[in-house]
Amino acid sequence: MIALEPWLRARRDEGRKLLVPYVMGGMSEDWVESLQAVVAAGADAVEVGIPFSDPMMDGPVIQRAGVHALDRGATPARVVDDIASAELAIPVAVMTYYNIVFRMGHRRMARSLRAAGIGAAIVPDLPLEELDPWAAEADAAEVATVLLVAPSTPQARVARICARSRGFVYAVARMGVTGERESLGSDSADVVRRIRQVTDTPVCVGVGVSTPAQARTACAVADGVVVGSALVRRLLEGGGPDAAAELVGQLRAAIDEM
Amino acid sequence: MLGLRVLLKREDLVHAGSHKLNNVVGQALLTRRMGKRRLVAETGAGQHGVAAATAAALFGLECTVYMGELDTERQELNVFRMELLGAEVRPVRAGSRTLKDAVNEALRDWVATVDHTHYCIGSVMGPHPFPYMVRELQRVVGDEAREQCRALLGGDDPDFVVACVGGGSNAAGTFAGFAPTRSRLVGVEAAGGAAASDGIPGVLHGMRSLLLQDEAGQILEAESISAGLDYPGIGPEHAHLAASGRARYEKATDAEALDAFRLLARAEGILAALEPAHALAWVVREAGQAVPEGSTVLITLSGRGDKDVAQVRELLAAGRDGR
């Protein structure tokens, strides 16, 4: 297993901007190949969705991918096994909702991630106040729990979230759900600045980062970007590993030029 | 007829047709107090949506109501009512196209609009303080009912207090009035969406409660003729009351609810909503059994049935009443 935070810190400290693409686990027959293509095209880490029936933080594109995955019989255990079988050379974070973690059990979930070589988890509907029972097991299994900061988060809370976030801090670019937008949220630079005031952990911007130009704008202040819906849409349209690699390559080139 | 003394708490007579108004007036006032100008709401049967639209009109707020597409079809008239009252109704095409999906969409709207919008949640569910707040805004049902029961029963409380449970707001309000009494509290769920009876602990929509779900934690779809009971969870306080034994939770089938709907129409000249028809159905079924002969029973009639008449006609014509 590759631990997420040291890996990202090392790359950032070399002056590299971080690219973290998102793929929904189990969304298509060839999703593991797509994941591998994303890695080969220049991702620094990947985020893999474990589908949930009620993904409240996600917009229509990722919702649809989740429905596809569930219709294809995806389960948390199967997605985790598939990730392990992909033998990726970069760190992996799973993104799912708390009920999936709760049903599996904190310890079992943390250990199964660890056993599969998955070094991080993002659980956006698990608030800071309720985090400890999961985080204790995740820490024990050396699974980093990435926390999110929103534009509406008061500064005192930003400090508490950043103190507890592992791997990186996920800066939510705008108030709203995941999905492609015409422009990068105007709040994103402010969120990143407020996170920087209280932590040295890498900061990646997500939610509505869809184009190479938006990725570059976000990376002007942040250490990196998370790109989900734009990539998942290409996979839903049947583009497969080639389309995934093409977009990731474009994003890579855009932020490498900086 | 049943060998029982049945008292009905007539929330069907509340303005806009159900107990839902008690809650939305309180939340609309809070919305103004917070300086916000818009409400979003979810609705199943449409009663909460109509109530929210009514309060929004009264208090000069904008109002957007999310409603599962399936529910907009079976509750067409309520959609039109909301629109007449100035609300925008957005059909939700995701998932089971019912109440749970409407809640998801309302939450997604709210996270993007929270600076000027209040989520006027319709039941005793969601994250704290919603379950508590909605129960307190609905406890007028139970407080009034207890006072009225004592007047009618010579200072006594009823032997049984019965209310239908979807998310559980009318039951929570009713039970709040009777929790300190000797009355036995019974919540009646739709057999196709009985989270208290068939659910297991889980976390959804910001609350930990009993949920219908599979082994992995995927939420299952509730299914009932009553759009207002089509929710795969119950409010967390109901889960607590069930665990503590202070209340018990029972089920009534679609066919039993339809029978009870017709029975009440003929016997009392009251068209109840299909939701409280489930509460009535349990009492009818259990009269002389779980509810001993001679008992006094309070049933909260949470809403009126005008909205359901077209659907009942179709169900009866299609033989969905089990005959």
Side-chain angles (χ1 to χ4, degrees):
Chain A
M1 186 188 79
I2 306 170
L4 182 60
E5 188 161 334
W7 174 273
L8 293 181
R9 275 179 183 275
R11 293 192 163 205
R12 175 194 62 183
D13 295 346
E14 285 166 11
R16 182 179 167 95
K17 293 296 181 179
L18 308 169
L19 178 57
V20 186
Y22 170 103
V23 174
M24 174 62 79
M27 66 177 286
S28 61
E29 190 62 41
D30 61 354
W31 83 272
V32 173
E33 286 77 32
S34 295
L35 191 60
Q36 289 164 330
V38 160
V39 174
D44 295 292
V46 281
E47 199 183 314
V48 177
I50 295 177
F52 177 51
S53 54
D54 294 80
M56 286 162 294
M57 190 194 159
D58 288 308
V61 168
I62 293 182
Q63 285 178 46
R64 204 155 62 238
V67 169
H68 279 273
L70 292 172
D71 286 350
R72 291 186 64 255
T75 63
R78 238 169 268 167
V79 171
V80 166
D81 286 349
D82 284 352
I83 294 170
S85 73
E87 297 188 330
L88 304 176
I90 60 174
V92 185
V94 291
M95 190 280 197
T96 193
Y97 289 82
Y98 181 64
N99 200 48
I100 298 293
V101 178
F102 179 74
R103 281 316 321 165
M104 189 180 281
H106 296 145
R107 179 167 299 178
R108 209 174 122 215
M109 181 78 172
R111 289 182 177 176
S112 81
L113 294 180
R114 168 71 197 222
I118 297 167
I122 305 173
V123 190
D125 63 338
L126 179 59
L128 190 63
E129 290 72 11
E130 309 285 345
L131 182 68
D132 285 350
W134 157 252
E137 295 295 344
D139 286 353
E142 295 179 333
V143 171
T145 303
V146 176
L147 302 184
L148 295 83
V149 173
S152 60
T153 309
Q155 189 60 20
R157 190 176 173 82
V158 173
R160 289 167 55 218
I161 289 171
C162 291
R164 200 64 197 73
S165 193
R166 308 275 182 267
F168 64 93
V169 178
Y170 193 129
V172 178
R174 61 167 70 228
M175 297 301 292
V177 295
T178 60
E180 294 171 86
R181 307 293 204 295
E182 301 255 313
S183 63
L184 189 67
S186 55
D187 299 324
S188 63
D190 180 57
V191 178
V192 173
R193 267 191 290 273
R194 295 200 293 125
I195 294 168
R196 290 250 194 258
Q197 283 172 18
V198 295
T199 187
D200 177 45
T201 307
V203 183
C204 294
V205 176
V207 179
V209 182
S210 353
T211 66
Q214 289 169 359
R216 194 156 47 211
T217 306
C219 283
V221 285
D223 298 313
V225 286
V226 179
V227 179
S229 295
L231 177 57
V232 169
R233 179 172 57 77
R234 282 166 174 76
L235 296 174
L236 283 173
E237 288 166 356
D242 292 346
E246 187 187 2
L247 177 66
V248 171
Q250 289 164 357
L251 291 162
R252 178 83 262 161
I255 61 176
D256 279 350
E257 276 169 22
M258 298 182 64
Chain B
M1 183 163 30
L2 299 173
L4 309 170
R5 183 166 186 195
V6 176
L7 305 172
L8 301 175
K9 176 71 174 93
R10 299 288 307 274
E11 293 297 300
D12 60 314
L13 299 177
V14 173
H15 182 57
S18 79
H19 73 292
K20 295 291 187 186
L21 198 76
N22 303 327
N23 169 40
V24 296
V25 167
Q27 291 204 47
L29 285 166
L30 286 167
T31 304
R32 292 226 308 205
R33 166 97 184 164
M34 289 185 287
K36 297 187 175 187
R37 57 177 161 83
R38 176 173 176 261
L39 298 179
V40 285
E42 83 295 340
T43 198
Q47 291 304 89
H48 174 57
V50 167
T54 301
L58 180 64
F59 292 104
L61 302 166
E62 298 163 49
C63 183
T64 300
V65 179
Y66 289 92
M67 188 170 186
E69 193 175 45
L70 184 65
D71 294 338
T72 63
E73 286 160 14
R74 54 184 176 175
Q75 296 291 348
E76 227 177 327
L77 204 55
N78 266 345
V79 173
F80 186 58
R81 279 199 184 99
M82 288 182 260
E83 288 170 351
L84 280 176
L85 290 160
E88 180 199 359
V89 180
R90 295 188 189 161
V92 178
R93 296 186 177 86
S96 55
R97 301 183 298 143
T98 61
L99 185 53
K100 146 181 106 82
D101 310 286
V103 174
N104 290 341
E105 278 312 307
L107 284 166
R108 290 179 183 125
D109 180 311
W110 193 33
V111 295
T113 57
V114 67
D115 59 322
H116 62 269
T117 294
H118 174 63
Y119 182 15
C120 182
I121 208 162
S123 195
V124 285
M125 42 168 287
H128 178 73
F130 279 111
Y132 163 76
M133 183 166 71
V134 176
R135 183 199 71 196
E136 287 303 296
L137 291 170
Q138 290 292 2
R139 72 174 302 133
V140 61
V141 177
D143 289 344
E144 277 180 4
R146 185 169 69 166
E147 199 176 304
Q148 291 166 357
C149 283
R150 286 183 173 180
L152 288 165
L153 301 173
D156 199 6
D157 295 309
D159 299 314
F160 289 85
V161 170
V162 185
C164 64
V165 177
S169 71
N170 90 81
T174 304
F175 293 175
F178 289 93
T181 72
R182 67 172 188 89
S183 301
R184 296 167 70 176
L185 309 179
V186 182
V188 183
E189 299 184 283
S197 305
D198 304 333
I200 54 174
V203 176
L204 178 70
H205 297 149
M207 64 180 177
R208 176 171 169 169
S209 190
L210 295 169
L211 304 173
L212 300 176
Q213 56 186 317
D214 71 11
E215 218 167 78
Q218 310 295 353
I219 308 303
L220 301 175
E221 297 174 3
E223 209 172 305
S224 151
I225 51 167
S226 158
L229 301 182
D230 260 3
Y231 184 70
I234 49 167
E237 189 170 296
H238 286 299
H240 171 70
L241 289 173
S244 73
R246 180 62 190 92
R248 59 193 270 204
Y249 293 83
E250 302 287 344
K251 299 189 243 186
T253 64
D254 288 355
E256 288 170 333
L258 270 176
D259 278 349
F261 176 92
R262 289 193 292 180
L263 176 68
L264 188 67
R266 299 278 175 93
E268 298 289 341
I270 297 170
L271 291 177
L274 283 173
E275 289 79 14
H278 287 74
L280 188 61
W282 181 80
V283 173
V284 171
R285 188 179 76 212
E286 297 299 334
Q289 301 187 46
V291 184
E293 198 177 332
S295 300
T296 54
V297 181
L298 171 80
I299 303 173
T300 296
L301 211 57
S302 56
R304 68 177 183 223
D306 309 53
K307 69 181 174 63
D308 297 320
V309 168
Q311 192 196 357
V312 167
R313 183 171 65 177
E314 279 171 33
L315 289 168
L316 293 178
R320 273 282 295 277
D321 60 339
R323 256 177 286 278

